[in-house]
Amino acid sequence: MCSTRSDLDEASTTELVNVLSAVAAELADREPPESPAACMELTETLAAATDQLESAIAGLISVVDKSREVQRWGLPSTQAWLRSRLGMRDTRAKERLSLARQRHRLPTLGKRWATGELSFGCATAIADAVTHLNDDDCKAAEDILLDMVDQEFSAGKVAAFGRRIRDIIAERDGTEEPDADSRHGYERSWIDTTRSLDGGRYIKGWLNAEDTAVWDGTLAPLAKPAGPDDDRDLSERTAAALTSVLSGGHKVSFPPEHGHLI
């Protein structure tokens, strides 16, 4: 082990990357072990190593981004390079670019990420949260969000709280902007729907107080668990209740101001 450690220390970054590339190619070509328990353990180990590799990638991208090297190759931006040459979706390219640009402002995150104590998902959530903060607020946000990681909050929860931190600071500084939904106003109810590629439909909207009372009075009783074996969550039960009402499976009388029957 000591000899291996010494060999790694003496190897150049290019040599390490080439070795790692060869190992990755060999791993990808192998069939997984037959033992599910072994596969779970190996997956967790490999995923943790992948997160550490993302830390190294962020460092390399940072150098490329600061030097504007991509322009020499006819590309308009670092993000365009990540999309076109590395085949990343726009969301992933933005995540990696955010990490590359914010890592120098997040020293504690950087150390923990590089040593395998922090996942790529959590690192991304924190980097996104501090992008538009000044250095003082950035440090405070880093401490708060890393503390959430220590309390074993998921990356999604960390990201959600990070957005809340940005909102609070924007409100404090008077720089907050109304989101697209709130521009509809709050006097009238509204619903937007978008058809998905698989034939489904996304729904979002806002109900004013009167329409909320109708919604609650109609759907709440129907959205209760059907029994001890009902494993649907509240969102799924609410969707089923709404579908039942819309399909005529449940007739409800409304006060005159709200029309007649659904």
Side-chain angles (χ1 to χ4, degrees):
M1 179 64 71
C2 291
S3 175
T4 301
R5 178 73 260 177
S6 177
D7 291 341
L8 292 176
D9 288 340
E10 294 175 2
S12 68
T13 300
T14 299
E15 290 171 333
L16 289 176
V17 170
N18 289 338
V19 170
L20 184 61
S21 179
V23 171
E26 180 63 28
L27 269 176
D29 193 48
R30 291 193 179 188
E31 290 294 324
E34 294 183 359
S35 167
C39 286
M40 283 185 66
E41 182 178 357
L42 291 172
T43 298
E44 291 174 5
T45 301
L46 191 58
T50 302
D51 285 339
Q52 287 182 275
L53 289 177
E54 288 285 0
S55 174
I57 290 173
L60 299 174
I61 292 175
S62 177
V63 174
V64 173
D65 186 53
K66 290 177 181 177
S67 68
R68 302 179 63 82
E69 175 70 11
V70 296
Q71 278 78 7
R72 291 185 57 246
W73 297 86
L75 293 163
S77 66
T78 304
Q79 188 170 322
W81 167 61
L82 295 174
R83 290 197 308 264
S84 61
R85 297 285 291 272
L86 279 73
M88 295 183 194
R89 292 178 301 173
D90 198 49
T91 300
R92 189 59 177 269
K94 289 179 179 178
E95 288 178 341
R96 279 181 162 164
L97 189 56
S98 175
L99 284 163
R101 290 176 173 174
Q102 299 302 320
R103 64 197 306 267
H104 72 283
R105 305 176 68 215
L106 301 164
T108 306
L109 177 148
K111 292 177 183 177
R112 294 182 57 173
W113 189 19
T115 56
E117 298 177 38
L118 194 68
S119 70
F120 174 80
C122 288
T124 299
I126 296 172
D128 286 345
V130 305
T131 298
H132 299 294
L133 305 186
N134 63 37
D135 289 344
D136 290 338
D137 289 333
C138 174
K139 173 58 179 170
E142 180 188 27
D143 291 342
I144 291 170
L145 295 175
L146 284 176
D147 184 60
M148 291 187 67
V149 173
D150 291 338
Q151 296 180 56
E152 299 184 350
F153 282 87
S154 68
K157 291 288 188 182
V158 173
F161 200 82
R163 290 190 293 271
R164 181 59 183 147
I165 288 176
R166 291 202 306 267
D167 292 342
I168 291 172
I169 291 175
E171 183 177 352
R172 179 199 69 188
D173 296 342
T175 58
E176 75 275 17
E177 296 181 0
D179 59 79
D181 293 344
S182 67
R183 295 191 187 111
H184 286 279
Y186 297 101
E187 294 183 2
R188 297 180 180 179
S189 300
W190 59 270
I191 291 176
D192 284 338
T193 70
T194 306
R195 194 72 177 266
S196 66
L197 295 176
D198 62 359
R201 188 172 292 278
Y202 296 102
I203 301 173
K204 68 174 182 178
W206 158 263
L207 298 180
N208 61 27
E210 292 178 354
D211 292 339
T212 295
V214 175
W215 174 282
D216 292 343
T218 304
L219 297 184
L222 301 177
K224 293 180 180 179
D229 296 328
D230 189 349
D231 60 355
R232 299 172 299 168
D233 61 24
L234 178 58
S235 297
E236 293 169 332
R237 298 197 306 272
T238 300
L242 179 61
T243 302
S244 175
V245 171
L246 293 176
S247 65
H250 185 83
K251 303 294 185 180
V252 181
S253 295
F254 292 137
E257 63 269 24
H258 292 291
H260 299 291
L261 298 179
I262 290 182

